[in-house]
Amino acid sequence: MEISAVQNFKELSSVLEGDLFNDLLHRTIYATDASVYRKLPLGVAYPKNNQDLKILFDFASNNKIPLIPRAAGTSLAGQCVGDGLVVDISKHFTKIIGFDEKSKTVTIQPGVIRDELNNFLAPYNLFFGPNTSTSNRCMIGGMVGNNSSGTTSIKYGVTRDKVIELKTILSDGSEVVFNDLKSEDFLLKMIGDSLESNIYKTIYNELSNVENQLEIKREYPKSSIHRRNNGYAVDELLKSKLFGGNDSFINLSKLLTGSEGTLAFTTEIKLQLDELPPSKNIVVAGHFNSIQESMEAVVIAMKHDLYTCELMDKTILDCTKNNREQVKNRFFVEGDPKAILMFEICTDDEDESNMLANALIADLKTNKLGYAFPKLTGTEIHRALELRKAGLGLLGNIIGDNKAVACIEDTAVEVKDLPNYISEFSHMMKEFGQEAVYYAHAGAGELHLRPILNLKKQEDVVLFREITNKTAQLVKKYGGSFSGEHGDGIVRAEFIPKMIGEKNYALLKRIKQSFDPNNIFNRGKIIDPFPMDKNLRYEIDREEPAIETIQDFSDSLGILRAAEKCNGSGDCRKLPESGGTMCPSYRATKNEKDTTRARANALREFLTNSEKKNKFNHKELHNVFDLCISCKACASECPSNVDVATLKAEFLHQYYKENGVPFRSKIFANSVKLNKIGSLVPGLTNYILNANITKKVLGISPKRSIPKLSNSTFQKWHKKNKKRFTDVQNIKGEVFLFIDEFVNYYDVGVGKDSIELLTKLGYKVNITNHEESGRSAISKGVLNKAKKLADINVNFFKDHITEDKPLVGIEPSAILTFRDEYLRLATDKASAEKIAKNTFTIEEFLLREFKKNNILPNQFTKESRVLKIHGHCHQKALSSMEPTFKVLSVPENYKVTIINSGCCGMAGSFGYEKEHFDISMKIGEDTLFPKIRNINKDIVIVAAGTSCRHQIMDGTRKNSKHPVSILREALV
């Protein structure tokens, strides 16, 4: 088929090497980015190479369809939202093509992640300077599109300063390179009739016009503001001798940087690199009693040669109190500051850094600015910066429909103007009845300012426009930039004529026409923009759909608002090297469909817009949740705490009402009943379950081993042996040991180790005939059963569990249901909450007792042992790895480290299922398996999760032990 003959998506898909989707699910999850906008695209393309891009451009031109370039989709202004065809380069355009250490340059494809690039460069003591808060998932192509800056711009500049060369494809399919040109070479480019020649002619004719030059200099933001990105950067080109400036070279990549993909499609980027900052850095965390005081402090502090100067206000700081991960990073916060400024000083000498830090503090004190100045070093700095970087996502934690809205968050002024500008801004916001959010890059004269609005209400949408318009006027008064680093997108493009003048805007339109005569590149951005108050995520003044759920989502005001907490910041796409677990399935597939963000967005979309009586009854939702492994990482690692595992369980429960519970799900959800029968003849049961015919019937992968039932259940063993544990010497306390379904039937040895360890340490252990935890039923969405089990267990334990008689569990996923799912499922909420407060993993309990000096090192061996811990996902998300690490370190000569591993990939029944086996093993290979294989045979591998131990064996053929087994062996 001739490419020019392609007329529809089916034909287009057949000629592409990459993938093309126009199903409702893909259109839905690409309808939003990290902005407030929503537009359903026609489809989504994942091009594999330049030829695919040319085919797409030809198709778009012939069919008058706009193309929306997209990388990680973290744009705040709506750059990635449109009604055309989304072109996602994040999957295939991800190579580092060339590196020249001598010239300190690197050439990459646009889908390379910023931190990924810097990880590659680190051994050479080099890095790419611009550092956004999304650096562990944002891509260089997007940074070029927005001219991103981040925390480091006051020392290392912005993306435009680093771009040396761009290889692009123009709208007619021609491949063109933009780089440094001498004036005579620029003039030679004008010869001919090609689209490239026409571009150079247009640029020359427009910018050699003295009247145009004067208009640009008069109306564009002050050149002293290095964060400026209103419209196209024609002011940068005026620096060339060709147009009256002093520079010997002219480079149109400066124009393309910040153009938001509206002029050309970039396929390769050559960057200038910097040497890494000096290693002896100190961050002074200045605490202030008001925003205005902190602004005055910035002017003083910026005289001290800082490397970064970042702000967090009280709103941001208060959000961190409710985030499981970030609350740990609040260690340096003193009192209740209205603002904290983090001033970073770097030198090659520790004493010199300290001297400079002290000089800064003295200067601030002399000017009576600030009340506390803790100095942070080493890992403390990383933790504090993580707190700051989480700011965007944390704003999603605001409960209800009022949100901190991105519309004026990108203003930049000269630092000397900052106090007066913010003073006027704050006064203006009071007139609007607003308490805005203030955070980010104070040292660069750019604060991310956000009003709190409910964009579901017409009156607040009106305010949305009015506040944006008034702020634009104020920025113009100070000669500032309305778009500092986040770009114009949809939200600010309407105001470009106001910011740079109508004549300059007309000039930009002529430049756009020269590059893209058919207007196929990112239509509605910068030139002829979409209205800033239309195409919002939510229908204005809509009647919120009433959605009944079996779980209690009142903490988010319902399940719909729980899904709406996802603001699209894309933390679920972060690099594995960034640590954490989220999101295992995305890490394995690199498909947006398999992100936490996609699941939340899809659920929001269908719960809002479905006309079905049961709004959950959509195959698209089943598809998007299919690879969610319920690891719970998003519950803690997502700054907005979007708990997709809980959303998935509810979805499955509601979906099954219409479609029935699948046979295999019934089997897994009722595994305890089946194990009870099977345990009567365990040998025969194990033989049958591991037979290929059984696996085939159950839909279990033939490559997966089935765990074997123990010869006796723990409860039966205990009944025979309980007299051994009744006579406890020197009782230090009493516990109820929760014998979960995994310990009872499979890990009986771990159960024995647990009761023997606790008893010998001086604790009376109560073993009762409670019900199973319900973990399997929850993971399979069989929530009627899970709710019954929760109610039975809560009713059973409510009169037994106290602070002095806690509930202690062995398997993390089972015992933590009492602290997590039971709070949503149990009918008796008060009793469930009381039990939850007094429920501990066995490691948590042992650490508590160790801190009370009830457990001492002399109770354990002095022999040497090396241990490496892999953490269970639920343990990491709902508890911490600290208890495991610390209790295993109680024996004096045990050397313990925690493996920086994500999810093992087993995830309960997920890893057994035939269609999920390969993904399960790929998740294991992501971070865990390679590290396990490299562990010396003399080192003990520790894993509290029964699924983890099973997966480690299947994936690496290595044994691992539960922490209690190791401690029991260590007793003297």
Side-chain angles (χ1 to χ4, degrees):
M1 180 187 301
E2 291 290 329
I3 292 174
S4 58
V6 173
Q7 295 297 318
N8 56 52
F9 280 159
K10 186 176 181 181
E11 292 175 355
L12 179 61
S13 182
S14 69
V15 296
L16 290 174
E17 284 190 50
D19 296 314
L20 178 70
F21 299 95
N22 66 335
D23 57 285
L24 181 57
L25 175 58
H26 278 84
R27 293 172 61 217
T28 294
I29 62 180
Y30 279 87
T32 55
D33 50 13
S35 72
V36 297
Y37 297 103
R38 172 189 176 272
K39 267 181 170 286
L40 274 177
L42 296 174
V44 182
Y46 294 92
K48 264 195 175 178
N49 48 44
N50 285 8
Q51 181 61 22
D52 274 359
L53 289 171
K54 293 177 182 181
I55 293 170
L56 289 168
F57 297 172
D58 187 74
F59 177 80
S61 293
N62 291 338
N63 293 279
K64 296 181 171 55
I65 292 174
L67 299 173
I68 303 113
R70 178 168 168 138
T74 59
S75 297
L76 292 169
Q79 289 93 325
C80 301
V81 175
D83 49 14
L85 184 62
V86 174
V87 183
D88 187 336
I89 52 84
S90 68
K91 189 166 184 179
H92 299 300
F93 283 76
T94 58
K95 296 181 182 66
I96 297 174
I97 298 168
F99 169 60
D100 188 330
E101 184 178 3
K102 187 176 180 181
S103 66
K104 300 178 184 176
T105 61
V106 68
T107 302
I108 58 171
Q109 290 185 311
V112 172
I113 294 169
R114 188 267 183 186
D115 283 359
E116 180 182 30
L117 174 60
N118 280 350
N119 290 341
F120 168 81
L121 295 170
Y124 306 97
N125 199 43
L126 297 171
F127 83 130
F128 172 61
N131 180 27
T132 66
S133 63
T134 56
S135 63
N136 61 9
R137 69 262 190 201
C138 79
M139 296 174 173
I140 304 293
M143 294 183 72
V144 170
N146 286 347
N147 187 32
S148 298
S149 306
T151 58
T152 56
S153 68
I154 59 178
K155 184 62 68 173
Y156 294 103
V158 301
T159 299
R160 183 177 288 126
D161 301 325
K162 307 303 176 187
V163 173
I164 298 172
E165 177 179 288
L166 296 177
K167 286 188 178 179
T168 69
I169 303 178
L170 300 181
S171 59
D172 67 347
S174 57
E175 296 190 36
V176 172
V177 178
F178 294 104
N179 53 21
D180 278 345
L181 295 174
K182 291 181 179 178
S183 296
E184 54 267 31
D185 294 325
F186 185 100
L187 297 174
L188 286 173
K189 288 277 189 181
M190 294 165 52
I191 300 171
D193 297 320
S194 68
L195 183 58
E196 180 186 13
S197 298
N198 188 49
I199 289 167
Y200 280 94
K201 289 174 191 173
T202 300
I203 298 291
Y204 181 78
N205 291 336
E206 297 290 353
L207 298 189
S208 59
N209 182 308
V210 175
E211 186 178 328
N212 286 349
Q213 291 176 9
L214 292 173
E215 187 71 12
I216 291 167
K217 291 174 182 176
R218 182 167 49 247
E219 294 288 347
Y220 260 67
K222 295 178 182 178
S223 60
S224 55
I225 301 169
H226 65 273
R227 289 166 174 262
R228 59 190 198 283
N229 205 57
N230 289 123
Y232 300 139
V234 291
D235 56 334
E236 280 289 317
L237 301 186
L238 295 188
K239 295 177 180 179
S240 163
K241 286 182 179 178
L242 188 64
F243 302 125
N246 297 315
D247 291 353
S248 300
F249 293 89
I250 184 169
N251 190 334
L252 292 195
S253 3
K254 306 297 182 184
L255 182 74
L256 291 180
T257 303
S259 65
E260 301 178 7
T262 61
L263 300 179
F265 204 102
T266 299
T267 58
E268 291 184 22
I269 303 163
K270 187 175 183 180
L271 299 169
Q272 185 66 58
L273 306 171
D274 289 293
E275 291 184 7
L276 286 170
S279 59
K280 304 302 179 184
N281 57 334
I282 291 177
V283 166
V284 176
H287 290 50
F288 301 91
N289 289 309
S290 70
I291 292 292
Q292 196 59 37
E293 183 189 18
S294 71
M295 294 299 95
E296 292 167 11
V298 170
V299 178
I300 300 297
M302 285 304 293
K303 298 173 183 177
H304 287 259
D305 193 28
L306 301 178
Y307 275 68
T308 60
C309 176
E310 296 291 304
L311 175 78
M312 291 184 288
D313 77 349
K314 179 173 167 56
T315 303
I316 295 285
L317 289 166
D318 284 350
C319 284
T320 66
K321 294 176 181 177
N322 301 314
N323 180 272
R324 289 172 181 148
E325 285 296 301
Q326 295 307 327
V327 73
K328 303 168 190 174
N329 293 331
R330 287 178 52 88
F331 65 95
F332 65 96
V333 179
E334 299 181 23
D336 188 23
K338 291 292 173 57
I340 288 180
L341 280 168
M342 294 191 291
F343 310 108
E344 185 178 18
I345 290 161
C346 296
T347 74
D348 288 316
D349 182 79
E350 194 171 323
D351 291 337
E352 184 182 357
S353 292
N354 250 310
M355 181 186 70
L356 293 174
N358 291 335
L360 168 63
I361 294 169
D363 203 356
L364 292 171
K365 285 181 176 179
T366 299
N367 286 276
K368 297 180 180 179
L369 297 170
Y371 70 84
F373 306 93
K375 292 190 292 186
L376 312 179
T377 58
T379 57
E380 293 175 339
I381 294 175
H382 172 76
R383 290 171 64 191
L385 291 178
E386 285 301 302
L387 191 77
R388 210 297 293 163
K389 289 175 77 171
L392 166 62
L394 288 168
L395 293 174
N397 274 336
I398 300 174
I399 302 299
D401 294 330
N402 288 329
K403 300 294 181 185
V405 175
C407 56
I408 55 172
E409 89 294 343
D410 204 25
T411 65
V413 298
E414 277 194 284
V415 171
K416 69 180 180 64
D417 293 329
L418 196 58
N420 290 336
Y421 167 67
I422 291 299
S423 177
E424 284 198 60
F425 172 82
S426 298
H427 179 73
M428 179 190 79
M429 293 303 281
K430 283 181 181 177
E431 290 181 341
F432 280 115
Q434 280 284 320
E435 283 285 340
V437 177
Y438 303 75
Y439 75 105
H441 317 300
E446 175 170 3
L447 289 189
H448 292 333
L449 311 164
R450 292 194 179 202
I452 308 293
L453 298 171
N454 177 2
L455 294 185
K456 294 179 181 178
K457 295 167 62 177
Q458 179 62 41
E459 61 195 82
D460 277 21
V461 173
V462 171
L463 266 182
F464 178 53
R465 174 176 282 280
E466 288 180 354
I467 289 171
T468 307
N469 184 48
K470 286 283 189 182
T471 305
Q473 292 174 12
L474 184 60
V475 172
K476 182 68 175 176
K477 173 184 173 180
Y478 283 94
S481 175
F482 199 39
S483 301
E485 64 171 344
H486 293 164
D488 296 308
I490 298 173
V491 74
R492 284 179 288 274
E494 266 194 69
F495 301 93
I496 296 174
K498 182 190 294 287
M499 302 312 299
I500 66 169
E502 292 287 353
K503 288 183 179 179
N504 286 329
Y505 187 63
L507 184 153
L508 300 194
K509 292 178 81 169
R510 295 191 291 273
I511 290 175
K512 163 72 171 174
Q513 175 67 22
S514 71
F515 272 91
D516 184 21
N518 292 324
N519 194 21
I520 64 169
F521 287 147
N522 217 5
R523 193 180 297 170
K525 321 294 162 51
I526 300 182
I527 302 302
D528 299 325
F530 299 130
M532 64 87 66
D533 51 0
K534 304 293 182 185
N535 306 303
L536 300 173
R537 278 198 187 198
Y538 310 113
E539 182 183 339
I540 299 171
D541 289 337
R542 76 185 188 197
E543 183 179 345
E544 291 290 324
I547 300 165
E548 292 186 9
T549 57
I550 189 171
Q551 295 181 94
D552 180 3
F553 288 94
S554 59
D555 56 343
S556 296
L557 305 182
I559 189 172
L560 177 56
R561 287 184 176 89
E564 287 175 352
K565 285 198 300 185
C566 175
N567 58 21
S569 61
D571 296 70
C572 41
R573 292 176 61 112
K574 66 183 178 181
L575 284 169
E577 298 94 300
S578 300
T581 300
M582 182 177 69
C583 175
S585 50
Y586 171 73
R587 290 179 177 182
T589 70
K590 295 297 189 290
N591 290 327
E592 173 69 21
K593 178 184 74 68
D594 301 317
T595 61
T596 304
R597 175 172 68 180
R599 292 160 189 143
N601 278 338
L603 187 62
R604 169 185 52 77
E605 183 82 19
F606 285 99
L607 292 185
T608 302
N609 299 313
S610 173
E611 295 182 0
K612 290 186 177 183
K613 185 177 180 181
N614 183 341
K615 294 175 181 290
F616 296 90
N617 186 24
H618 288 273
K619 63 181 181 181
E620 290 87 359
L621 286 177
H622 195 276
N623 187 7
V624 80
F625 279 114
D626 181 51
L627 293 188
C628 169
I629 61 177
S630 301
C631 67
K632 286 282 181 182
C634 48
S636 60
E637 294 177 34
C638 168
S640 301
N641 297 138
V642 181
D643 184 351
V644 168
T646 298
L647 299 180
K648 177 184 180 179
E650 187 68 39
F651 158 70
L652 289 174
H653 168 78
Q654 302 292 346
Y655 186 80
Y656 291 158
K657 286 181 179 179
E658 308 297 329
N659 300 281
V661 182
F663 172 70
R664 185 176 62 191
S665 294
K666 286 181 181 177
I667 294 293
F668 281 121
N670 291 286
S671 58
V672 172
K673 283 185 180 178
L674 297 172
N675 285 340
K676 189 174 183 179
I677 297 168
S679 66
L680 298 173
V681 281
L684 178 61
T685 302
N686 291 332
Y687 175 79
I688 292 172
L689 288 177
N690 276 283
N692 283 335
I693 185 65
T694 307
K695 292 179 182 179
K696 187 173 183 180
V697 170
L698 294 177
I700 293 172
S701 171
K703 301 174 187 175
R704 178 66 73 185
S705 66
I706 305 297
K708 294 182 177 181
L709 292 169
S710 295
N711 291 331
S712 170
T713 67
F714 176 87
Q715 292 285 12
K716 288 179 182 177
W717 172 86
H718 179 257
K719 191 173 181 181
K720 293 177 182 177
N721 294 275
K722 64 181 178 181
K723 288 182 181 179
R724 286 172 47 197
F725 306 103
T726 54
D727 186 20
V728 182
Q729 301 296 316
N730 302 316
I731 292 181
K732 299 171 184 173
E734 185 175 351
V735 302
F736 282 82
L737 186 61
F738 187 79
I739 302 301
D740 60 78
E741 50 270 34
F742 309 103
V743 167
N744 193 38
Y745 292 104
Y746 298 105
D747 296 320
V748 174
V750 178
K752 293 176 183 178
D753 289 338
S754 299
I755 191 171
E756 288 183 13
L757 175 67
L758 290 168
T759 302
K760 289 182 179 180
L761 288 174
Y763 297 92
K764 180 182 178 184
V765 181
N766 296 297
I767 305 290
T768 60
N769 289 317
H770 53 73
E771 268 290 357
E772 62 177 287
S773 71
R775 168 54 55 201
S776 298
I778 292 166
S779 67
K780 304 315 291 183
V782 184
L783 295 187
N784 285 328
K785 176 182 175 66
K787 182 175 176 61
K788 287 178 183 176
L789 292 169
D791 283 341
I792 292 169
N793 278 330
V794 167
N795 187 59
F796 181 85
F797 283 114
K798 68 180 181 181
D799 296 325
H800 298 294
I801 301 306
T802 65
E803 185 177 354
D804 295 327
K805 295 180 182 178
L807 183 64
V808 175
I810 303 164
E811 163 61 35
S813 66
I815 193 61
L816 291 172
T817 56
F818 284 86
R819 297 220 304 245
D820 188 31
E821 289 92 349
Y822 279 21
L823 299 180
R824 296 190 186 279
L825 287 167
T827 305
D828 184 351
K829 302 293 182 198
S831 294
E833 288 173 4
K834 177 195 164 193
I835 294 168
K837 288 176 184 176
N838 297 298
T839 296
F840 303 94
T841 65
I842 194 164
E843 300 100 310
E844 288 174 334
F845 173 76
L846 293 171
L847 179 58
R848 187 184 81 163
E849 296 303 295
F850 176 71
K851 289 179 177 178
K852 292 179 179 178
N853 291 320
N854 289 336
I855 298 174
L856 301 170
N858 62 17
Q859 294 174 276
F860 297 93
T861 182
K862 293 187 182 298
E863 290 181 7
S864 297
R865 213 169 186 189
V866 180
L867 312 173
K868 290 192 178 289
I869 307 168
H870 164 68
H872 187 286
C873 288
H874 290 194
Q875 194 176 9
K876 288 184 277 194
L878 304 172
S879 172
S880 166
M881 292 311 300
E882 181 186 30
T884 306
F885 173 81
K886 288 196 171 178
V887 296
L888 288 176
S889 300
V890 171
E892 292 177 358
N893 295 312
Y894 277 20
K895 183 181 177 183
V896 187
T897 54
I898 298 172
I899 302 170
N900 182 15
S901 58
C903 180
C904 74
M906 181 65 89
S909 64
F910 181 88
Y912 295 94
E913 294 162 357
K914 181 175 63 175
E915 70 275 22
H916 295 145
F917 175 80
D918 288 340
I919 290 289
S920 167
M921 300 309 284
K922 195 169 183 181
I923 291 170
E925 290 290 353
D926 180 48
T927 55
L928 178 61
F929 291 170
K931 291 172 182 175
I932 294 289
R933 292 190 190 104
N934 287 331
I935 291 176
N936 187 288
K937 64 180 181 180
D938 296 327
I939 295 172
V940 180
I941 302 165
V942 185
T946 184
S947 289
C948 302
R949 295 193 296 276
H950 189 174
Q951 179 80 328
I952 287 170
M953 172 53 71
D954 278 3
T956 68
R957 310 315 300 169
K958 288 195 174 186
N959 283 309
S960 50
K961 290 185 173 184
H962 194 288
V964 295
S965 297
I966 292 166
L967 289 172
R968 199 270 306 159
E969 292 169 3
L971 284 171
V972 293

